[in-house]
Amino acid sequence: MNLTPHLSRATLRDAGVSDSLALSILHRGEILRRRGFPTLYTLKHLSLSASADWGFLRSVIRRESQRAYSEFKIPKNTGGYRRISAPVAPLMQVQRWILDEILSQAPRHPDSFAYHPTIRMIEAAERHVGARWMIKADIHNFFPSISERRVYRVFKSFGYAPLLAFEMARICTWPVAGSSSSTPMQDSSVPYPVKSAGVLPQGAPTSGALANLASKDLDEQLSDFAIANHLVYSRYSDDLAFSGAGTFDRSKVVKYVREIRRLVAGNNFSMHERKLRIVSPGARKVILGMLIGHDSVRILPEQRRMLDLYIHSVRKYSLVSYAKRRKFDSPISFLNHVNGHIAHMKQIEPEWTASRESAWIEALEQAGIFPAAMS
């Protein structure tokens, strides 16, 4: 049997802890338990719970570890590159523990759809089915805009002690080159050196959930704005969408954009102005690579054509030859690319995709590749 609060108090007293401090510790533990979060008091407690090395975590928190992350770039669909900061295995392990045991216990905002294991991307698009017009916006540098101070506030809001909240914030953030991070926290209660502030690294397993939690106020304000103006709002990571089914008035929509921009800026984010779109009635409406129809979400015609082209080309040229022709890094890279497209299409139009998936597997088998044997 685990120690009850009363027995814990007696144990702390026997260990020489003053009764007032014991009551304070137990009070914090009861708050965390009631809110559904694991009871943690110190960094040592966290390291034991997550089976992590205490000394390594200290070096990460002090920003002394030179090998906490490996950085690389991946190409964006829209051109350019995205910087990925992947945590090394020991840090990945404790971040996954924080994600699974702590962050996953926090409730999601109903208009936030990314980084929730039980929520599908299509659900964000389905919110806008039947819309006549739409506003699409994008938050610029979403992850790098979220500093360790904002992450600290997330952990502190759960009920964790200020020092442990700071330590977990440091474990989940890192100084990223080129980011406009805020001033590092300076507090006499935090016995760590003042160094450059960390931000959420794109590539850490905790970053998506923490970005959602740090954006809770933004979601509340944008949701209230949408409801007040008879609009529908959704956010998928840095993608914001608003839609309306009523009369379209461009001057009114411009005012809406101005207010959205103000609310975004008021939460220490900025809109990517080049990605701002006002979609008028009659124009094609696309959200997250999905076509918004009058009564359903559909696969984009160009995505259908591209999948059919892949199937035809593998039959004609073979997987290896066509992957080289299309300048993929390797045949496996091309195979994963197509399988990713099929998985995405499956949640949109499962029946249509099932027939194409069968054709894709046939084409691979004709080329001497058996997907089942590779899985």
Side-chain angles (χ1 to χ4, degrees):
M1 180 182 74
N2 295 327
L3 285 179
T4 68
H6 301 305
L7 294 176
S8 296
R9 181 179 178 183
T11 301
L12 289 169
R13 189 189 306 117
D14 292 343
V17 176
S18 68
D19 201 45
S20 61
L21 179 56
L23 287 172
S24 177
I25 292 172
L26 294 173
H27 175 72
R28 188 174 297 281
E30 285 298 291
I31 289 174
L32 289 165
R33 185 189 65 82
R34 187 180 66 188
R35 293 176 179 175
F37 298 110
T39 302
L40 298 171
Y41 298 115
T42 64
L43 180 65
K44 187 68 173 179
H45 196 174
L46 171 64
S47 69
L48 291 171
S49 298
S51 301
D53 181 76
W54 178 84
F56 171 71
L57 294 183
R58 285 273 295 178
S59 72
V60 171
I61 295 164
R62 294 172 65 88
R63 306 303 193 207
E64 293 173 347
S65 174
Q66 301 300 311
R67 294 178 295 177
Y69 289 84
S70 60
E71 294 199 354
F72 55 93
K73 295 178 180 178
I74 58 173
K76 295 181 181 179
N77 293 333
T78 54
Y81 291 88
R82 176 177 287 107
R83 184 191 298 274
I84 301 297
S85 301
V88 296
L91 184 55
M92 174 81 79
Q93 175 182 314
V94 72
Q95 287 177 347
R96 287 199 180 280
W97 189 92
I98 290 172
L99 174 64
D100 294 340
E101 303 299 326
I102 299 177
L103 302 179
S104 64
Q105 310 308 314
R108 74 173 261 269
H109 190 281
D111 290 328
S112 167
F113 293 87
Y115 315 117
H116 301 286
T118 60
I119 304 298
R120 299 174 302 152
M121 181 188 288
I122 192 174
E123 293 179 54
E126 287 173 336
R127 288 273 291 156
H128 302 278
V129 167
R132 293 190 64 247
W133 57 270
M134 187 175 294
I135 299 168
K136 295 170 60 179
D138 184 274
I139 297 176
H140 190 52
N141 289 332
F142 184 48
F143 286 103
S145 296
I146 299 173
S147 68
E148 66 182 39
R149 183 180 295 274
R150 295 173 75 169
V151 176
Y152 160 78
R153 289 174 185 150
V154 169
F155 285 116
K156 192 167 180 289
S157 73
F158 294 162
Y160 290 106
L163 177 56
L164 182 57
F166 171 81
E167 289 168 328
M168 288 196 287
R170 280 277 178 107
I171 288 169
C172 296
T173 60
W174 193 250
V176 175
S179 67
S180 54
S181 59
S182 62
T183 305
M185 291 180 58
Q186 301 184 44
D187 190 320
S188 59
S189 67
V190 176
Y192 287 96
V194 175
K195 294 194 175 183
S196 57
V199 297
L200 288 181
Q202 192 159 358
T206 45
S207 289
L210 283 168
N212 282 339
L213 292 164
S215 304
K216 184 179 178 181
D217 288 346
L218 175 64
D219 284 330
E220 283 293 324
Q221 293 168 24
L222 292 178
S223 182
D224 287 345
F225 160 77
I227 292 170
N229 291 281
H230 310 292
L231 305 176
V232 169
Y233 162 63
S234 69
R235 180 178 64 80
Y236 191 91
S237 188
D238 56 354
D239 288 305
L240 311 179
F242 300 82
S243 63
T247 303
F248 176 78
D249 183 327
R250 182 165 287 275
S251 63
K252 183 185 289 187
V253 174
V254 169
K255 290 179 182 178
Y256 289 161
V257 170
R258 191 178 302 127
E259 179 63 9
I260 293 166
R261 185 183 291 113
R262 185 188 71 80
L263 292 172
V264 168
N267 284 271
N268 297 311
F269 292 111
S270 61
M271 279 170 48
H272 200 310
E273 298 297 335
R274 286 185 298 176
K275 293 186 176 181
L276 177 64
R277 298 285 185 273
I278 296 174
V279 186
S280 58
R284 190 171 82 153
K285 298 167 184 65
V286 178
I287 291 181
L288 303 170
M290 290 173 269
L291 185 63
I292 308 300
H294 296 296
D295 57 4
S296 64
V297 176
R298 305 296 302 276
I299 297 171
L300 290 168
E302 54 266 39
Q303 291 178 335
R304 298 176 193 270
R305 291 193 295 269
M306 183 59 70
L307 182 55
D308 285 340
L309 174 64
Y310 288 153
I311 294 168
H312 169 77
S313 299
V314 167
R315 282 174 175 159
K316 183 175 181 180
Y317 301 110
S318 84
L319 179 76
V320 174
S321 175
Y322 189 65
K324 185 175 181 180
R325 179 185 291 248
R326 292 298 298 264
K327 298 185 174 13
F328 279 86
D329 291 339
S330 67
I332 293 295
S333 175
F334 172 60
L335 183 66
N336 291 338
H337 173 77
V338 179
N339 288 340
H341 273 293
I342 290 173
H344 172 68
M345 293 176 180
K346 261 184 182 178
Q347 66 170 304
I348 306 171
E349 294 186 49
E351 290 185 12
W352 182 88
T353 308
S355 65
R356 293 306 191 276
E357 184 175 30
S358 297
W360 169 243
I361 291 171
E362 271 183 33
L364 291 176
E365 290 176 347
Q366 286 176 17
I369 296 167
F370 299 91
M374 299 175 65
S375 59

